[in-house]
Amino acid sequence: MTHASYTLTLADIARHLGVDFEGDDHQPIRGLATLKEAASDQVAFLANRAYLKDLATTQAAAVLLHPEHGKNCPVPRLEMENPYLGYAKLSQLFDPLPARDVPGIHPTAMVADGVMLGDGVCVQANAVIEPGVVLGDRVVVGAGSVIGADCVIGDDTRLHANVTVCHGVVMGKRVILQSGCVIGGDGFGFAHDGAGWHKIAQLGGVVLGDDVEVGSCSSIDRGALGDTVIGNDVKIDSQVQIAHNVTIGDHSALAGCVGIAGSTKVGKHCMLGGGVGLSGHLTICDGVQVTGMSLVTNSIHEPGVYSSGTGAMSNTQWRKNAVRFKQLDDIAKRLARVEKSQRES
């Protein structure tokens, strides 16, 4: 892969995206930037109509945009039906991180005897890898990260600095774990005897599919008996809590501060907005979108968009509405009496 340390041309960019363009094939491209801030050796993109106002004055070498906006572009254009996807693909060309991965084991790392290391593995400073671990090819274990006993980690997976992977976790290829996340910690399992709590040993594990990404400071708990399972291509934002024995279907996405209680099953191609909470032992079918700050307490069996809660309003208006909310039960009973009286009459 080409990185920012190399000079790309506009022709290279167009070839990478598989699109045509009109302009100087040899125009050097050294980075990406917004329409407003791009210099003459950078590519900008337009994926949100809110920034259309900046297109006419951009100084970019070229702009990646939808064909409907092409006629308004004052510089060479790269037209795609999904310019945001094109931006994602271009960003990989300019990411300097992989170029810094030097295969080998840092002298301060602690790697147990018998650990199986694939080709091109990079273990950075102060990392700890316990017995029985299997690392695939080109795995990167960031500085200070810990991999517990008997874990299996697939090819091209990256653990950023200070990641904790507890014992017995299995993950697929191209997984990305951001700093501070914990995979396979104990689930919240306790039994009460009337006076105090007794801990339930969490005997299951965690399975992550291919192309999963977990954001910083997120937690995925191990199963109480069976495994907690995260499907292929699932994207999990920062500060997300996934409890024991939860299942997340392929290609779903969870925004920041989502909380999912134990044994809930989320289908494929679901999207949970920031701050969404799911109660335990629910089933969410495929193709469900839950908007931010919603609380889901019942299973969802039909795909679609679901919401709860109220949007922000002035405190004065909110206080009035809060009073009305307390009166709803009484109003409903009075209405039922009026309807009954009308039917009888």
Side-chain angles (χ1 to χ4, degrees), residues 219-243:
S219 296
I220 302 176
D221 293 346
R222 67 191 316 105
L225 292 174
D227 295 330
T228 302
V229 179
I230 310 299
N232 296 322
D233 193 39
V234 171
K235 309 304 181 187
I236 299 171
D237 197 4
S238 301
Q239 297 183 335
V240 170
Q241 164 63 25
I242 298 177

Side-chain angles (χ1 to χ4, degrees), residues 13-315:
I13 297 295
R15 191 178 306 112
H16 183 72
L17 295 175
V19 301
D20 297 325
F21 75 99
E22 295 181 2
D24 181 4
D25 287 10
H26 302 291
Q27 165 68 49
I29 303 297
R30 296 185 173 86
L32 306 177
T34 64
L35 285 169
K36 194 171 185 177
E37 298 176 348
S40 60
D41 60 354
Q42 294 177 308
V43 170
F45 73 99
L46 174 62
N48 188 324
R49 297 182 67 90
Y51 299 99
L52 190 59
K53 63 183 184 300
D54 297 324
L55 181 60
T57 57
T58 187
Q59 300 298 309
V63 176
L64 177 61
L65 41 57
H66 190 277
E68 70 174 312
H69 301 306
K71 63 181 182 297
N72 299 318
C73 185
V75 299
R77 58 188 185 269
L78 303 162
E79 296 183 351
M80 291 184 68
E81 289 296 321
N82 188 344
Y84 196 65
L85 176 60
Y87 161 64
K89 292 180 178 180
L90 288 186
S91 70
Q92 298 296 323
L93 294 179
F94 295 95
D95 183 5
L97 191 59
R100 298 201 296 263
D101 300 333
V102 179
I105 301 175
H106 193 278
T108 62
M110 298 181 63
V111 179
D113 293 338
V115 168
M116 297 179 62
L117 303 178
D119 295 335
V121 168
C122 172
V123 181
Q124 298 176 358
N126 298 312
V128 176
I129 303 178
E130 295 183 354
V133 169
V134 177
L135 301 183
D137 297 341
R138 297 171 300 279
V139 169
V140 177
V141 182
S145 291
V146 177
I147 301 177
D150 303 318
C151 289
V152 178
I153 297 178
D155 298 347
D156 299 298
T157 289
R158 172 182 294 274
L159 281 64
H160 286 265
N162 299 313
V163 166
T164 300
V165 179
C166 300
H167 65 279
V169 170
V170 177
M171 62 184 75
K173 299 177 181 179
R174 300 175 300 278
V175 173
I176 298 174
L177 303 179
Q178 300 289 348
S179 295
C181 71
V182 178
I183 312 299
D186 281 355
F188 191 71
F190 300 90
H192 200 271
D193 65 1
W197 296 99
H198 297 262
K199 184 175 178 61
I200 299 171
Q202 303 294 287
L203 306 179
V206 175
V207 177
L208 304 183
D210 296 338
D211 301 299
V212 170
E213 179 158 355
V214 181
S216 58
C217 300
S218 289
S219 296
I220 302 176
D221 293 346
R222 67 191 316 105
L225 292 174
D227 295 330
T228 302
V229 179
I230 310 299
N232 296 322
D233 193 39
V234 171
K235 309 304 181 187
I236 299 171
D237 197 4
S238 301
Q239 297 183 335
V240 170
Q241 164 63 25
I242 298 177
H244 55 198
N245 298 107
V246 166
T247 298
I248 308 292
D250 298 347
H251 314 296
S252 290
L254 286 63
C257 298
V258 165
I260 304 179
S263 299
T264 283
K265 300 183 184 301
V266 177
K268 299 177 181 179
H269 298 282
C270 290
M271 293 188 291
L272 307 182
V276 165
L278 303 185
S279 297
H281 304 277
L282 304 183
T283 298
I284 309 299
C285 71
D286 298 347
V288 167
Q289 179 180 347
V290 183
T291 60
M293 304 302 292
S294 296
L295 175 62
V296 180
T297 57
N298 295 293
S299 294
I300 297 175
H301 302 294
E302 295 291 334
V305 181
Y306 294 81
S307 302
S308 73
T310 59
M313 62 191 77
S314 70
N315 180 259

